[in-house]
Amino acid sequence: MAILLLLGALVIGLFLIPFGLPGLWVMAGAVLVYNYAVPGGAIGIWTIVIVAALAGVGEIVEFALAGRYARRYGGSRRAGWGAIVGSIVGAIVGVPVPVVGSMVGAFVGAFAGAWLAEMTKAAEVRAATRVATGALLGRIAAVAAKVGIGCAVIAWVAFTLFLGR
């Protein structure tokens, strides 16, 4: 029963990621709670450390990709930072909208942040829009990367539970 609860929590965490919620950290917390709730350290410290490290890497990847894509599409460093800040602000502003608010807010925020930052450089609207589109694509890539990391966490934990003993 405990294994089913853990796997359920991991799947819920995976589904939280696209909505801009801390799904990887929910997964890490579930692994930690499971390890201490089940007698004998059922998972082990190395799995806990690896899952926490993957969650940290996921956060770094998430914030770096929007800025990186904005620069790849011709934007300045300012546009990259605008995409990162806009994504964070958008996710926070979108929280009151049920279910998809933080996800849509982060996407719109990445676009708007990069666009505004690029426009402050006296760029033309077309060029700023291209850069902002790159930031939006970067945000989408970041969500995909975090979902991939979440799948890796589930695979690692499942391996540890079923084959690693």
Side-chain angles (χ1 to χ4, degrees):
M1 181 65 170
I3 290 176
L4 290 177
L5 287 173
L6 173 61
L7 293 176
L10 293 175
V11 169
I12 289 170
L14 185 65
F15 282 108
L16 291 175
I17 294 169
F19 298 107
L21 298 171
L24 289 174
W25 294 110
V26 168
M27 296 167 96
V31 167
L32 185 66
V33 167
Y34 178 85
N35 189 62
Y36 289 108
V38 174
I43 288 185
I45 191 70
W46 283 110
T47 297
I48 294 169
V49 169
I50 289 169
V51 169
L54 286 172
V57 166
E59 296 301 321
I60 293 167
V61 165
E62 179 180 18
F63 290 113
L65 279 179
R68 182 177 219 158
Y69 270 67
R71 289 189 301 278
R72 180 180 285 173
Y73 277 70
S76 62
R77 284 183 79 79
R78 183 184 308 184
W81 281 105
I84 293 168
V85 171
S87 184
I88 294 168
V89 170
I92 293 168
V93 169
V95 166
V97 177
V99 183
V100 296
S102 60
M103 179 175 59
V104 171
F107 289 151
V108 170
F111 184 91
W115 190 84
L116 288 170
E118 197 64 18
M119 287 303 291
T120 62
K121 282 185 41 183
E124 63 180 47
V125 173
R126 186 176 178 109
T129 303
R130 181 174 187 270
V131 170
T133 301
L136 175 61
L137 293 174
R139 181 74 184 135
I140 292 168
V143 169
K146 281 185 77 172
V147 168
I149 291 171
C151 289
V153 167
I154 291 174
W156 182 271
V157 172
F159 175 80
T160 302
L161 286 172
F162 299 115
L163 301 174
R165 290 184 179 197

Coordinates of all heavy atoms in Angstrom, one line a residue, residues 78 116-125 127-128:
R78 N 19.7 41.6 -21.8 CA 18.5 42.2 -21.1 C 17.2 41.5 -21.5 O 16.4 41.2 -20.6 CB 18.4 43.7 -21.6 CG 17.3 44.4 -20.9 CD 17.2 45.8 -21.4 NE 18.5 46.5 -21.4 CZ 18.6 47.8 -21.7 NH1 17.6 48.5 -22.0 NH2 19.8 48.3 -21.7
L116 N 9.3 43.4 -23.7 CA 9.5 44.8 -23.1 C 11.0 45.1 -22.9 O 11.4 46.2 -23.2 CB 8.8 44.8 -21.7 CG 7.3 44.9 -21.7 CD1 6.7 44.7 -20.3 CD2 6.9 46.2 -22.3
A117 N 11.8 44.1 -22.5 CA 13.2 44.4 -22.3 C 13.9 44.7 -23.6 O 14.7 45.6 -23.7 CB 13.9 43.1 -21.7
E118 N 13.5 44.0 -24.7 CA 14.1 44.3 -26.0 C 13.6 45.7 -26.5 O 14.4 46.4 -27.2 CB 13.7 43.2 -27.0 CG 14.5 43.1 -28.2 CD 16.0 42.8 -27.9 OE1 16.4 42.3 -26.9 OE2 16.8 43.1 -28.8
M119 N 12.4 46.0 -26.2 CA 11.9 47.3 -26.7 C 12.6 48.5 -26.0 O 12.7 49.6 -26.5 CB 10.4 47.4 -26.5 CG 9.6 46.6 -27.5 SD 9.9 47.0 -29.2 CE 9.1 48.6 -29.3
T120 N 13.1 48.3 -24.8 CA 13.8 49.3 -24.1 C 15.1 49.6 -24.7 O 15.7 50.7 -24.4 CB 14.0 49.0 -22.6 OG1 14.8 47.8 -22.5 CG2 12.7 48.8 -21.8
K121 N 15.6 48.8 -25.6 CA 16.8 49.0 -26.3 C 16.6 49.7 -27.6 O 17.4 49.8 -28.5 CB 17.5 47.6 -26.7 CG 18.2 47.0 -25.6 CD 18.9 45.7 -26.1 CE 19.5 46.0 -27.5 NZ 20.1 44.8 -28.1
A122 N 15.4 50.2 -27.8 CA 14.9 51.0 -29.0 C 14.9 50.0 -30.2 O 15.2 50.4 -31.3 CB 15.8 52.2 -29.3
A123 N 14.6 48.8 -30.0 CA 14.5 47.8 -31.1 C 13.1 48.0 -31.8 O 12.2 48.6 -31.2 CB 14.6 46.4 -30.5
E124 N 13.1 47.6 -33.0 CA 11.8 47.7 -33.7 C 10.9 46.6 -33.2 O 11.3 45.6 -32.7 CB 12.0 47.6 -35.2 CG 12.6 46.3 -35.7 CD 12.8 46.2 -37.2 OE1 13.3 47.2 -37.7 OE2 12.4 45.2 -37.8
V125 N 9.6 46.8 -33.4 CA 8.6 45.9 -32.9 C 8.8 44.5 -33.4 O 8.7 43.5 -32.7 CB 7.2 46.4 -33.2 CG1 6.1 45.4 -32.8 CG2 6.9 47.7 -32.4
A127 N 11.5 42.9 -34.5 CA 12.7 42.3 -33.9 C 12.4 41.9 -32.4 O 12.7 40.8 -32.0 CB 13.9 43.2 -33.9
A128 N 11.7 42.7 -31.7 CA 11.4 42.4 -30.3 C 10.4 41.3 -30.3 O 10.5 40.4 -29.4 CB 10.8 43.7 -29.6

